[in-house]
Amino acid sequence: MKAPPIPGDEPQRLAALRRYGLLDTPPEKVFDDLTALAAHVCQTPIALISLVDSERQWFKSSFGPFPAETERSCSFCGHAVFDGQLLVVCDATRDERFTGNPLVAGEQEIRFYASTPLVTYDGYALGTLCVMDRRPREISPQQIEMLCALGRQVMNQMELRLRISEQERIEKQLAESAELRRAILDSANYSIISCRPDGIIRAMNAAAERWLGTRNEDVEGKQTPEIFHDPCEIERRSTELAGELGRPIPPGFSALVAKAELGVTDEREWTYITAQGHRFPVLLSTTSLRSTTGEITGFLFIASDITERKEVELAKNEFVSVVSHELRTPLTSIRGSLGLIEGGAVGEVPPKMVRLVEIARANTDRLVRLINDILDLAKIEAGKLELQMLPLDPAELVTEAVAEINGMADQFRVRLAWHSDPSWIDHRPSLLGDRDRLLQVLINLLSNAIKVSPPDSVVETRVEAAGGASVRISVRDQGPGIPAHELGRIFGKFQQIDSSDTRARGGTGLGLAISKAIVDEHGGTIGIETEEHKGSTFWFEIPLPRDEWALAPDNAGLQLWRVLVVAGPGMPPAVAADLASCGFHLERAGTLAEARARLTEAPPDALLLDPLLAGARDLRADLHRDPRTAWLPVIQRPADLAQLRGALQRAVRPPGEPRVLLVDAGTGARQALIEMLRSEGLEPMPANDGGSALEIARRRPPDLIILDAELPGMNGQALVQELRHSRLCATPLLVYTSHDLSAEEHRLLRLGPTSFLVKGRATERELLGTILELLGDVGAVR
Amino acid sequence: MTLRKILLVDDEADIRLVAEISLSNLGGWQVIQAASGPEALDLAAQELPDLVLLDVMMPGMDGPTALQKLRGLAGGAEVPVIFMTAKVQRAEIDRLLSLGVRGLIPKPFDPMTLPAEIRRILGA
């Protein structure tokens, strides 16, 4: 006798067998029916479903008397399992594999055996469906075919059960996890509301029901979470979002999820209103739920009640505010008295005493700064730093900061230099930020830099694009640098490189902590690069609003008027900033030679000449003679800024009648307006859309723009935004629309002097009056 | 209108003294003083000043209330008023400036530059 060999993948085969969970289970009708059929078809007294276990074969079903199991070593089926094929033994006594086999030699006296293997979907033979007889015999091909078909049925039954039990297991697991989730959700101290993509509520947890005084069945499938909100807050938020995202957001459910739709978790404070009308503050985080393909399948609103926190905050704020006031009041008397003595306002003071009073006064000032900084920090820590976000020009920010700190730089004998990104001549990006707060950061960095600078060194400020999506402002000093081990804590509170620094330099040690908080609050980053004994560069980056990402100067031809300032003293930054806001970009030539070179390389739009400069007269004469520069307006430097502004504006204006750029969709009312302008001696330049308006303005700069905000294509707001960065940024604008504009539109639709009129409401007289008023001097010369 | 007479209103006598020295010695102005809102209103009713320097936080009647009542006096609607305050939170400053005053001087102020500061505010 030969024992059946063991298949190579026996452990996996046994695992597959266990998977079906049939071993040692009671007989079942479905399997018994199949063995009965097999016996009948094959005309045998015995038919079995045999499962081959590691040491035995066990019969799930037996037709005809047969033991419940036998040893594997003497099994026929073991051979069939090893081969994985149909096995037919017509006379076991003549087959050497089975001679001496107890099933053949013993009381069973098996002679005939035929089986079809039971093969799983993944290819393991678990056992067989077999038929046996006690006498030698043949089996017909039809019978084999039927036996195989029945074997497949056995396997199908087994697979079916497996699937059903798997299903049951999953369902049970799901039910358990749903139960667990429900329990977690209901015990959580958060109000959790889940919604469909259209906003309709799917479910609320117990806390939401309790806090909002409503029941799931009242809102589920019917309402959106908007019903728990204050409509005014939603309206405010939608205006805010429209500004931020550059598209209108309807004040409703969209305003709640506009941010979450972009894939970010939106966390902010809101007021929830219960069904009974009670209001309470919440910190609400909104998340979009997405399918594997990224489609939004719903929204989740998770809110925590922050009533208590708000009260603590309020109390703390109140405390800080009162303390700061109470400290300031006595300081006012101290500071004032010292100031009067020091300044000699109450009589002569001996020099030694002056020195002492000066010390007292300087330290009082420091105390005041400390109080200011602590107040700032307290506000920041309470999350109460309210930023007033407005569009602002980063280069202007720098000039303003430099102008403000100039006095201090003089005191320390430090020179200030600043540059803005050279690619910004045509289009300077507009930041969205809090002007005062960013100025505070910049002044703080500048004053730190000045304090550490050796005399006669330079502190250099740069403002430039950082990777297209943000603006970077950096301040570089030539001070001692900061040792590496100090870098980690430099943005912490009360940090100075060494404590002697504080007293010597009059700082509070809070400046950088405050700066970091302000920059963080703007969504930006602040950092430092330093090299010991060489100097440090402190920088911060503020992200640009989305519509400023591409800094491409697509308004070529409308870049700021270039004014070459020849020699003489440099322009104060405030003057440069003022002129930039009127459309003029100043470039300085230090010497006459440099001026001549510049004039031929890249002729400016105007020349500003210091008349006292030696050789100025010759330069003028030369310019006049050269046909390339004969047209160049040359302005002698006037005494004051207003005169300078006026002179420049007159110099660059092409001659002719006052030009009015008329931008509207070309409706019937336009013709009447054109007639009216003509009859007043003005030149109308009609444009049907923003694009052609820019094109016309490029060729002939208008003296006034009349704009209907409703335009096809590029809308009125976009056009105005475009013009704000151009040489036309100070051009008077009349917004003439058919409906009342919102406050936001009023804010966005401003250029130079701007007026608003509503069509049909303003009389022709009013319209003309406004036009002439806006044209001002230009209108008067006609 | 030339500036001659200033009504200085503050409940702190020390601060009044410092401001008075500055305004009269350095500014060359005539200074009349009041230690409270009602006192200030009495004085203003008698002799209308060219400018009121008005403290914000005073016991009893505070600065904004005094301002409102001043505006109700005969001729009081046009008197320029400058607030002086030790409250420097921006929201508070914005609120004060919206009440119809010419400007605001934060405390502590520098008495040596106070007259110049006043001229700057009134000139603007």
Side-chain angles (χ1 to χ4, degrees):
Chain A
M1 185 196 87
K2 201 171 153 206
I6 304 295
D9 54 358
E10 181 68 2
Q12 292 89 332
R13 196 193 67 85
L14 287 173
L17 175 63
R18 308 246 178 282
R19 172 169 88 197
Y20 292 88
L22 279 180
L23 286 175
D24 302 310
T25 54
E28 285 173 70
K29 190 89 175 67
V30 277
F31 293 113
D32 290 348
D33 285 350
L34 291 169
T35 44
L37 271 169
H40 180 77
V41 165
C42 300
Q43 296 290 303
T44 55
I46 301 164
L48 303 166
I49 292 174
S50 158
L51 299 175
V52 178
D53 199 357
S54 56
E55 300 295 334
R56 58 171 181 162
Q57 60 170 338
W58 178 84
F59 306 114
K60 174 64 188 170
S61 172
S62 328
F63 181 84
F66 209 77
E69 58 179 46
T70 69
E71 280 180 25
R72 180 177 186 175
S73 55
C74 65
S75 70
F76 283 74
C77 294
H79 292 277
V81 162
F82 180 78
D83 291 336
Q85 287 172 8
L86 182 78
L87 174 61
V88 177
V89 180
C90 293
D91 185 350
T93 54
R94 286 159 183 261
D95 190 320
E96 60 166 12
R97 287 179 291 181
F98 304 110
T99 47
N101 183 307
L103 288 174
V104 180
E107 60 179 285
Q108 289 292 341
E109 294 181 17
I110 299 299
R111 293 294 175 273
F112 170 78
Y113 172 93
S115 75
T116 176
L118 303 173
V119 181
T120 65
Y121 66 92
D122 47 355
Y124 296 107
L126 303 181
T128 66
L129 170 64
C130 63
V131 289
M132 290 187 273
D133 203 339
R134 297 194 172 86
R135 59 190 176 84
R137 50 169 294 176
E138 297 292 315
I139 184 165
S140 73
Q142 289 82 7
Q143 284 173 319
I144 286 175
E145 203 173 301
M146 295 304 283
L147 182 67
C148 290
L150 288 169
R152 287 196 293 275
Q153 281 311 309
V154 172
M155 203 58 232
N156 280 347
Q157 277 300 324
M158 288 171 64
E159 298 288 6
L160 194 62
R161 270 139 190 277
L162 180 66
R163 229 166 292 157
I164 290 172
S165 69
E166 184 72 3
Q167 192 75 29
E168 279 168 353
R169 195 179 56 79
I170 289 171
E171 266 164 24
K172 193 167 157 230
Q173 239 173 27
L174 273 178
E176 276 170 7
S177 92
E179 191 50 45
L180 178 66
R181 210 163 47 216
R182 188 82 229 158
I184 292 171
L185 288 177
D186 282 349
S187 61
N189 201 18
Y190 290 97
S191 147
I192 302 172
I193 303 174
S194 128
C195 289
R196 304 196 313 226
D198 63 355
I200 298 295
I201 294 173
R202 270 199 197 114
M204 305 198 300
N205 73 340
E209 287 185 309
R210 210 166 51 238
W211 293 3
L212 295 164
T214 185
R215 286 173 315 162
N216 240 318
E217 51 266 40
D218 295 335
V219 293
E220 195 184 308
K222 299 174 206 156
Q223 302 281 3
T224 80
E226 207 188 324
I227 55 160
F228 306 124
H229 282 266
D230 179 346
C232 298
E233 278 186 4
I234 291 199
E235 178 128 17
R236 264 204 304 280
R237 179 71 183 137
S238 84
T239 318
E240 204 175 284
L241 281 167
E244 196 178 324
L245 305 176
R247 61 184 163 93
I249 304 290
F253 182 72
S254 324
L256 293 175
V257 296
K259 270 295 188 57
E261 273 172 346
L262 299 175
V264 289
T265 294
D266 183 24
E267 197 179 63
R268 62 182 48 251
E269 290 178 13
W270 290 93
T271 305
Y272 262 1
I273 303 175
T274 67
Q276 294 71 37
H278 170 69
R279 301 163 67 95
F280 61 101
V282 291
L283 184 67
L284 176 62
S285 98
T286 312
T287 321
S288 60
L289 305 171
R290 282 165 200 271
S291 67
T292 43
T293 55
E295 256 167 294
I296 292 181
T297 57
F299 295 99
L300 208 54
F301 297 86
I302 303 178
S304 56
D305 185 343
I306 52 169
T307 309
E308 217 167 289
R309 201 186 86 193
K310 281 285 191 193
E311 280 163 4
V312 170
E313 236 169 58
L314 208 67
K316 183 180 172 188
N317 252 0
E318 178 70 16
F319 176 77
V320 169
S321 159
V322 165
V323 165
S324 115
H325 177 265
E326 291 307 309
L327 287 171
R328 262 164 218 282
T329 301
L331 275 171
T332 305
S333 314
I334 300 172
R335 170 69 180 78
S337 303
L338 293 170
L340 288 171
I341 300 171
E342 188 193 3
V346 285
E348 191 81 16
V349 186
K352 262 195 187 153
M353 200 188 282
V354 168
R355 174 76 195 112
L356 289 176
V357 172
E358 189 195 322
I359 290 170
R361 197 264 310 139
N363 279 284
T364 315
D365 285 345
R366 202 172 119 211
L367 203 49
V368 173
R369 282 200 299 277
L370 256 168
I371 294 169
N372 288 347
D373 283 358
I374 289 171
L375 192 63
D376 268 354
L377 214 58
K379 251 187 292 180
I380 288 165
E381 281 174 359
K384 288 293 276 185
L385 187 73
E386 280 162 17
L387 298 180
Q388 293 174 357
M389 304 295 263
L390 289 172
L392 50 99
D393 179 340
E396 219 173 281
L397 198 72
V398 170
T399 25
E400 201 167 318
V402 166
E404 193 145 323
I405 205 86
N406 218 352
M408 179 180 174
D410 282 349
Q411 218 181 315
F412 282 81
R413 279 178 41 213
V414 172
R415 207 158 64 73
L416 297 177
W418 67 102
H419 320 271
S420 59
D421 202 308
S423 68
W424 284 357
I425 292 174
D426 294 334
H427 173 90
R428 289 201 297 212
S430 166
L431 274 183
L432 206 59
D434 185 312
R435 170 173 215 92
D436 292 352
R437 288 301 185 179
L438 289 180
L439 211 52
Q440 184 180 354
V441 173
L442 193 47
I443 286 175
N444 178 39
L445 297 188
L446 278 166
S447 80
N448 284 350
I450 291 170
K451 281 180 209 162
V452 299
S453 288
D456 301 317
S457 67
V458 180
V459 167
E460 208 178 345
T461 307
R462 271 176 192 284
V463 47
E464 58 208 336
S470 45
V471 162
R472 178 191 175 99
I473 299 181
S474 55
V475 176
R476 197 177 79 187
D477 63 58
Q478 296 171 336
I482 293 164
H485 66 274
E486 302 277 3
L487 285 175
R489 52 195 189 90
I490 195 154
F491 290 105
K493 276 179 253 178
F494 293 108
Q495 295 300 337
Q496 252 116 7
I497 304 315
D498 62 81
S499 52
S500 65
D501 213 51
T502 318
R503 281 181 284 278
R505 308 289 190 170
T508 63
L510 291 171
L512 284 176
I514 292 171
S515 297
K516 179 169 173 6
I518 292 171
V519 172
D520 284 351
E521 201 71 8
H522 277 84
T525 37
I526 191 167
I528 175 180
E529 282 142 24
T530 185
E531 204 176 332
E532 251 181 292
H533 313 300
K534 290 240 170 107
S536 312
T537 303
F538 279 84
W539 54 265
F540 62 98
E541 288 180 11
I542 303 291
L544 285 166
R546 210 165 263 268
D547 56 346
E548 288 283 1
W549 278 12
L551 296 178
D554 53 359
N555 54 352
L558 277 175
Q559 64 268 47
L560 301 191
W561 301 106
R562 286 174 45 237
V563 179
L564 186 62
V565 184
V566 182
M571 288 283 179
V575 172
D578 181 273
L579 290 177
S581 73
C582 298
F584 297 98
H585 174 74
L586 298 187
E587 297 171 19
R588 187 166 180 272
T591 61
L592 276 175
E594 196 189 331
R596 283 176 194 276
R598 290 272 198 99
L599 282 165
T600 43
E601 274 164 29
D605 298 296
L607 190 71
L608 189 59
L609 196 58
D610 188 349
L612 298 178
L613 198 70
R617 266 214 350 232
D618 293 345
L619 178 67
R620 280 192 87 138
D622 288 353
L623 289 174
H624 197 68
R625 270 198 297 276
D626 190 335
R628 286 173 304 176
T629 52
W631 53 270
L632 185 73
V634 178
I635 300 163
Q636 303 217 347
R637 197 167 182 157
D640 73 32
L641 179 58
Q643 275 176 24
L644 175 58
R645 213 187 289 136
L648 284 172
Q649 271 161 353
R650 279 190 299 279
V652 295
R653 181 183 181 275
E657 290 163 348
R659 285 170 294 273
V660 179
L661 179 60
L662 196 55
V663 197
D664 61 20
T667 52
R670 180 202 268 179
Q671 202 48 42
L673 192 53
I674 290 180
E675 302 290 350
M676 188 181 90
L677 293 171
R678 285 224 177 94
S679 70
E680 285 302 317
L682 309 172
E683 185 195 333
M685 303 192 294
N688 290 338
D689 55 50
S692 50
L694 282 176
E695 184 53 39
I696 293 170
R698 201 166 287 157
R699 282 183 275 122
R700 306 184 64 209
D703 298 299
L704 168 68
I705 300 171
I706 299 181
L707 172 69
D708 186 338
E710 296 141 351
L711 291 175
M714 175 197 261
N715 68 23
Q717 287 178 16
L719 176 65
V720 171
Q721 288 304 321
E722 195 72 36
L723 291 173
R724 273 191 191 172
H725 299 291
S726 77
R727 55 175 62 175
L728 299 181
C729 61
T731 308
L733 173 68
L734 170 58
V735 182
Y736 190 46
T737 44
S738 53
H739 65 95
D740 281 317
L741 299 175
S742 69
E744 178 70 2
E745 285 171 300
H746 271 259
R747 192 174 68 73
L748 291 171
L749 289 169
R750 271 180 191 283
L751 202 56
T754 302
S755 292
F756 296 87
L757 285 180
V758 177
K759 282 181 190 167
R761 205 177 301 162
T763 62
E764 198 175 310
R765 217 186 138 92
E766 270 179 73
L767 176 60
L768 184 60
T770 311
I771 289 173
L772 293 180
E773 194 191 326
L774 284 170
L775 278 170
D777 293 347
V778 188
V781 300
R782 76 190 187 278
Chain B
M1 182 204 67
T2 49
L3 177 57
R4 282 197 209 88
K5 193 189 328 172
I6 298 180
L7 171 56
L8 173 65
V9 192
D10 199 312
D11 59 311
E12 290 268 335
D14 296 348
I15 295 179
R16 285 204 308 276
L17 177 62
V18 168
E20 198 257 353
I21 292 174
S22 160
L23 297 172
S24 53
N25 288 19
L26 303 173
W29 296 308
Q30 181 197 342
V31 180
I32 50 176
Q33 298 182 28
S36 69
E39 211 177 294
L41 292 169
D42 279 352
L43 269 175
Q46 288 165 30
E47 40 176 339
L48 213 54
D50 302 320
L51 170 70
V52 182
L53 280 185
L54 185 55
D55 184 30
V56 172
M57 290 264 280
M58 291 184 289
M61 186 190 292
D62 68 359
T65 314
L67 171 71
Q68 202 190 346
K69 295 203 185 271
L70 173 76
R71 294 303 185 213
L73 294 178
E78 287 84 35
V79 178
V81 174
I82 296 176
F83 273 137
M84 292 195 299
T85 182
K87 287 205 144 188
V88 291
Q89 278 171 306
R90 187 152 71 176
E92 179 69 6
I93 287 178
D94 288 346
R95 187 184 72 83
L96 290 170
L97 287 175
S98 72
L99 297 177
V101 292
R102 295 295 283 273
L104 184 144
I105 292 174
K107 287 180 182 175
F109 54 84
D110 179 357
M112 297 307 291
T113 57
L114 181 64
E117 182 69 6
I118 288 171
R119 284 196 198 94
R120 191 189 62 75
I121 291 174
L122 295 182

